[in-house]
Structure formats: C-alpha cells, structure tokens
Amino acid sequence: MPSSDRKHRRSPKTAPLLPQKDADSGHYNGASFSGAVFNLSTTIVGAGIMALPATLKQLGAIPGVIVIILAALLTEKSIEMLLRFTRASKSASYSGLAGDAFGGFGRTLLQGCIVINNLGTLVVYMIIIGDVLSGTSSDGVHYSGVTEEWFGQHWWNSRSNFLLLTTLFVFAPLISFKRVDSLRYTSALSVALAVVFVVITAGIVIVKFINGSIGMPRLLPKLVDQASFWKLFTTVPVLVTAYICHHNIHPIENELRDVSQMKSIVRTSIVLCSTVYVATSFFGFLLFGDHTLDDVLANFDGELGIPYSSLLNDVVRVSYVIHVMLVFPIVFFSLRLNMDGLFFPYAIPIAYDNRRFFSVTAALMCFVFLGANCVPSIWDAFQFTGATATVSVGFIFPAAIVLRDTHGIATKRDRLVSLVMILLAVSSSTVAICSDIYSIFNIGIEA
C-alpha cells in the first residue's frame, strides 16, 4: 500500500471498502461490467440534465451539440489520466492520489471539496423532490405539487412530512448499503428513467412535427448585441460540470471483478450519458424553442399542444423525481467516504466499523434533511461553493496531479490537456460566481 494511504488509514493493502467475502452470502465475486456502467452513469446523469436544453437555446443546435460532445471527450481524458496516475502511485482512492501528489493538505482539501460538492448536490435534490411532489411557496403564492394536484392537501403530502417519509422509506434503506455495487439495480432504473424522459420528449416532437405545429430549431447562436455575446458564456458552468463523476471512480473500481475493465466502463458510461444528453438537449430545444427555460422541467407545467398534455406533464415530472431519488444514494456513497476520511483519517475503513458507519450516515442525512427544509438561503450558499468545489473535483485536482507528476509519467499531451482543464475550470467558476452575484444584486434592487 502507498505511504500516502498508509499514514492516513490502517487498512488492507488493496484498500477495498469491504473484503471479497460477504458476511451474508459467504462470497462476493466483485462487481460486474454492467453494474459498474450503471453506477457510473447514474453518478453523471443527475439533476443537471434538465439544464442542457437551455444551453442549445443560447448556443444554437449545432454548436450546442458539438460542445456537449467536446465536454464528454475532455471528461474521459481527465478520468483516464486519473486512473493512470492512480496505478502509478498505487493509491486506492482519489484522496490517496491527492495525498501522494500534495501531501496531507492536498488530501484534506480534496476531501473537503467532495464533501461540499456532494452535500450541496443532495440538498438541491431534496429541494427538487419537495418542489415537484409537494409544491412550493414563493412571495406568498403557493405552487401545487403533483401529489397535491392528484390527492389534495393532506398531512402526509405537506412538504416537510413528505420529505421525512421519503427519507425514512426511500433514502434510509438505499444509503445503508456498504457496497456501491449493491446500488446497481436502482442505478439501472435511474438511467432507464432518464431514457424515458428522452422518449417522451421525442414522441411529443414527432407528433407536433406531423401535425405541423413545430418549426426548425435555431442552428446557430442569436447575437444581437454585446450582452447576448457574453450570455453565451453562462453555458460554460453547465457544460463543464455535466459529466462530473470523479468522486465515485475509485469506489466503483475497487469493487470490480476485473479492474482492467475500468477504462472501458468509463468510456461506455460517457458514451451512454452523451447520447442521453444530446437527445435531451436536442428534443427539448426542438420542442420549446426560444421559450426553453433554464430548467426545462418547468416547461412541462402547461399545455403542450397535443392530446393528454396534462398526463404527459405528470409522467415527466414524476419519472424525473424518481430518477433524482435513485441518484441520491450513489452521490451519498462518496460523500460518506470522504466525510469519514476528514474526521477519522487514521481509523480502519468505515465499512468495517458498524457504529461509525451508521453514525456518520445518520448525521449526514440529518444535515441534508434540515438544509432542505429549514434554511431557505442554503441554495444561494451552495451556488457559490458548488461553482468552485465541483470544478475542483472534476478538473482542477486531476490537472494539478498531472502537472505535479511525482512519478514522471506525464506526456506533453497530458500537460496540454491539463492546462486546458484548468483554464475551463477557472473560467467556469468565474462566470458562475459573477452570474450568482449579479442575480442576487438584481433581486435586491427589484425588492
């Protein structure tokens, strides 16, 4: 085991989350190729999928699709470099690799970024679930959720009670697994639900095309003044963070039956997610055109111009929320690992200590639940932290590790790609932070 991992954690040399023998079944042969693909794809395709059609609205159909594909290629390269440097350092985790390159400070900083990113993501997921299913209130106006529209207002579908029931009966069982591979079936369902959204959207587009109520999409960006030019750059944060899954690469690889498959698993997952992304973006933009909202889910809240519009709207919203519920545990998995690494850096792996496992799990779940229910301004806080933490996990740390090159294996191409990654990450963070500050000040002036 490398010294960077050994001095922080007393664990077996291979440092898996659990030994290859399962206490319940007596044996565990390792994760399959398909299970790993579904888990990694679910990590990638989170709530951000709904923001992609708006990028085509800003960039136009052709540049938008090209940029989505380029973001996929860049992400694949960053993960390939991450895996190559992991093997050179003989590290068993992302934080171990950061520790090998930058020492204890680098390890702790990376773990902090992953914790901030994942906590913010999970809080936003829970807010989305509450908004869609139980409704939300803003400026004294209540917007009904799906369950309120179906069943009326009851004690069980009030926002806080519904989220509590979801936490107890959906999240609690799913986040109690000690192997990420145990989530392969829910991850497969999550990916399938993302495909369902694409199929429904494509179906609506085909029906409207046949009856002549849909036009050609705008192929290029619409530049009318300087403001419209600068608005193109607001798509950068969405595209840069669309494929972030680096925090789950090592947990998935550590459980594989054949670790040599990891590169193919990454490639398959990115191709699958890119296909879903391109289809979602294209059909969403084709359906709503210049009326596409920043979150295309909000477009499915009115008349679609075809029969059964109300039913289709509900199917889209409910399937999306179930998708988010199933993404939740896969993001929580790496959150728990890195939070444990921050607070118990010298302890045995958390999967071997039941008391610590369930204590950390309960504490994190309580924080997410309270954050989504009791702190309205937490969304604004996570917009800033997410703008920096997310790109750090996905691009800055992999690029910095390559440029540091403690084992002398980086090529000129690796260094060039790393510089591009850092440039994109910094520009993405700058645009996102400036946009958030502008929005907050605008809201304050309007108030």
Side-chain angles (χ1 to χ4, degrees), residues 111-269:
Q111 288 174 328
C113 287
I114 293 175
V115 167
I116 291 170
N117 173 67
N118 290 22
L119 269 178
T121 299
L122 295 179
V123 169
V124 170
Y125 284 179
M126 192 168 277
I127 290 173
I128 290 171
I129 293 167
D131 287 351
V132 174
L133 295 182
S134 295
T136 184
S137 297
S138 178
D139 298 325
V141 179
H142 181 72
Y143 300 92
S144 296
V146 173
T147 60
E148 289 181 336
E149 293 174 359
W150 289 356
F151 306 107
Q153 292 186 345
H154 300 280
W155 67 269
W156 57 268
N157 64 0
S158 67
R159 185 186 180 85
S160 57
N161 287 340
F162 193 89
L163 289 179
L164 178 60
L165 292 172
T166 302
T167 299
L168 294 176
F169 296 106
V170 179
F171 294 149
L174 293 177
I175 63 177
S176 297
F177 290 117
K178 293 185 178 181
R179 297 187 194 279
V180 69
D181 186 51
S182 300
L183 297 170
R184 62 190 181 278
Y185 297 117
T186 56
S187 292
L189 179 57
S190 175
V191 173
L193 288 170
V195 174
V196 166
F197 174 77
V198 173
V199 170
I200 291 175
T201 308
I204 296 171
V205 167
I206 292 170
V207 170
K208 297 191 75 171
F209 181 78
I210 291 172
N211 63 29
S213 59
I214 198 168
M216 278 292 293
R218 181 162 41 79
L219 300 180
L220 298 172
K222 186 178 181 181
L223 300 175
V224 294
D225 52 24
Q226 189 175 6
S228 62
F229 172 77
W230 289 111
K231 201 168 184 181
L232 297 179
F233 292 93
T234 60
T235 63
V236 174
V238 176
L239 293 166
V240 168
T241 59
Y243 293 91
I244 299 297
C245 60
H246 303 62
H247 49 85
N248 264 339
I249 291 293
H250 292 86
I252 290 171
E253 182 187 34
N254 288 339
E255 294 182 13
L256 276 178
R257 189 177 304 151
D258 179 5
V259 295
S260 65
Q261 294 181 323
M262 192 62 198
K263 188 173 180 180
S264 297
I265 288 167
V266 171
R267 183 165 296 166
T268 303
S269 299

Side-chain angles (χ1 to χ4, degrees), residues 38 45 49-50 186-206 272 275-277 279-281 283-284 287 296-297 300 304 311-324 326:
F38 285 131
V45 183
I49 186 175
M50 293 299 173
T186 56
S187 292
L189 179 57
S190 175
V191 173
L193 288 170
V195 174
V196 166
F197 174 77
V198 173
V199 170
I200 291 175
T201 308
I204 296 171
V205 167
I206 292 170
L272 173 61
T275 304
V276 172
Y277 279 175
T280 299
S281 304
F283 288 118
L287 179 58
V296 76
L297 188 68
F300 288 92
L304 297 174
L311 175 62
L312 289 172
N313 284 336
D314 287 348
V315 170
V316 166
R317 290 191 289 169
V318 171
S319 62
Y320 172 66
V321 167
I322 296 174
H323 161 76
V324 169
L326 299 178

Side-chain angles (χ1 to χ4, degrees), residues 282-332:
F282 180 76
F283 288 118
F285 178 51
L286 191 60
L287 179 58
F288 299 111
D290 287 335
H291 299 291
T292 304
L293 300 176
D294 290 342
D295 180 356
V296 76
L297 188 68
N299 285 106
F300 288 92
D301 197 24
E303 179 59 41
L304 297 174
I306 63 171
Y308 307 108
S309 288
S310 179
L311 175 62
L312 289 172
N313 284 336
D314 287 348
V315 170
V316 166
R317 290 191 289 169
V318 171
S319 62
Y320 172 66
V321 167
I322 296 174
H323 161 76
V324 169
M325 288 180 180
L326 299 178
V327 175
F328 192 100
I330 203 83
V331 176
F332 190 94

